Amino acid sequence: MTDTAGFLATTRTFYDAIADDYADHFQDGYTRRPLERALLTAYAELVGDKGTVADLGCGPGWVTGYLAGLGLPVFGVDLSEGMLAVARRENPELRFEQGSMLELDIPDGELAGVVSWYSSIHTPMDRLPDLFAEFHRVLAPGGHLLLAFQVGDEPRHLDRPWGHPVTLDFERRRPDRVVELLVSAGFALHSQAVREPDESLGDTAPQAFLTAHKASRAAD
Ligand SMILES: C[S@@+](CC[C@H](N)C(=O)[O-])C[C@H]1O[C@@H](n2cnc3c(N)ncnc32)[C@H](O)[C@@H]1O
């Protein structure tokens, strides 16, 4: 696994330490997030019966399980064995694999869909083109990408969450900049939505949701 900057190892260590608390925190299964559920439902309709979807950086597998419940053939990939243990426990019927979404063990053009739900936030900006190139590589022509991330300009530092002795940086991003990078990687934007922060959910920033598809031809 190529990890010259060490951010993959740092991310894995962080999520291994907090996996159970993170899963407890989101235990409500997004019942208080109707927009997110609606966007996932729309995404599932876009993909339809075209093939398999990978939930990359699946964490405890809530989105994986939700999409499976909507009828999509879906599996999860995550760096963190701690997160994968939770995902397998919560979704025993689904497949979860350890790996980095920057270097997927998936053939070219294999997938109908790629979901990166708050998982690209730990990939440094200078590696985002590599990440989007990898998403593009594994998608079939016309395949659909769904990205969720926090909106903003400033990097954030997570320090000792739930008292665990670990720290991690993540990046908030401007949707227009992310769209530019997606287009450069060969994607065509399909939709963008921004939800204002909801204090009752603990949000401290707007939340962005983008869908894009892998252009079928250069002119698409
Ligand atoms: C903020 S959590 C989001 C988890 C889940 N998608 C959710 O919304 O609940 C970020 C997840 O992305 C995973 N992750 C970050 N970078 C990754 C990479 N390069 N490859 C695979 N997983 C990654 C982390 O291990 C962590 O489980």
Side-chain angles (χ1 to χ4, degrees), residues 45-183:
E45 286 193 29
L46 273 179
V47 174
D49 59 2
K50 294 190 195 77
T52 303
V53 173
D55 180 12
L56 302 178
C58 61
W62 178 80
V63 166
T64 332
Y66 194 78
L67 293 175
L70 295 172
L72 289 186
V74 57
F75 67 98
V77 175
D78 204 282
L79 280 175
S80 160
E81 285 292 359
M83 283 294 206
L84 290 166
V86 176
R88 291 178 183 126
R89 189 176 70 222
E90 298 295 322
N91 305 275
E93 72 289 1
L94 299 182
R95 176 162 63 96
F96 293 94
E97 296 174 359
Q98 200 277 337
S100 170
M101 59 188 180
L102 275 155
E103 217 169 351
L104 291 162
D105 187 16
I106 297 174
D108 295 1
E110 178 92 344
L111 300 175
V114 160
V115 176
S116 171
W117 194 260
Y118 295 100
S119 57
S120 65
I121 61 176
H122 304 301
T123 301
M125 199 67 187
D126 64 346
R127 295 296 307 277
L128 220 49
D130 297 335
L131 185 67
F132 293 164
E134 187 65 348
F135 292 170
H136 191 269
R137 181 186 72 75
V138 295
L139 278 169
H144 297 278
L145 173 66
L146 170 61
L147 278 184
F149 56 93
Q150 296 93 347
V151 177
D153 296 304
E154 298 297 320
R156 306 281 291 186
H157 188 65
L158 301 168
D159 193 26
R160 301 182 64 88
W162 296 290
H164 296 287
V166 288
T167 63
L168 187 65
D169 294 328
F170 76 94
E171 298 196 10
R172 292 176 171 170
R173 295 189 167 117
R174 292 274 150 210
D176 54 355
R177 180 65 187 129
V178 174
V179 170
E180 280 175 14
L181 292 174
L182 287 174
V183 170

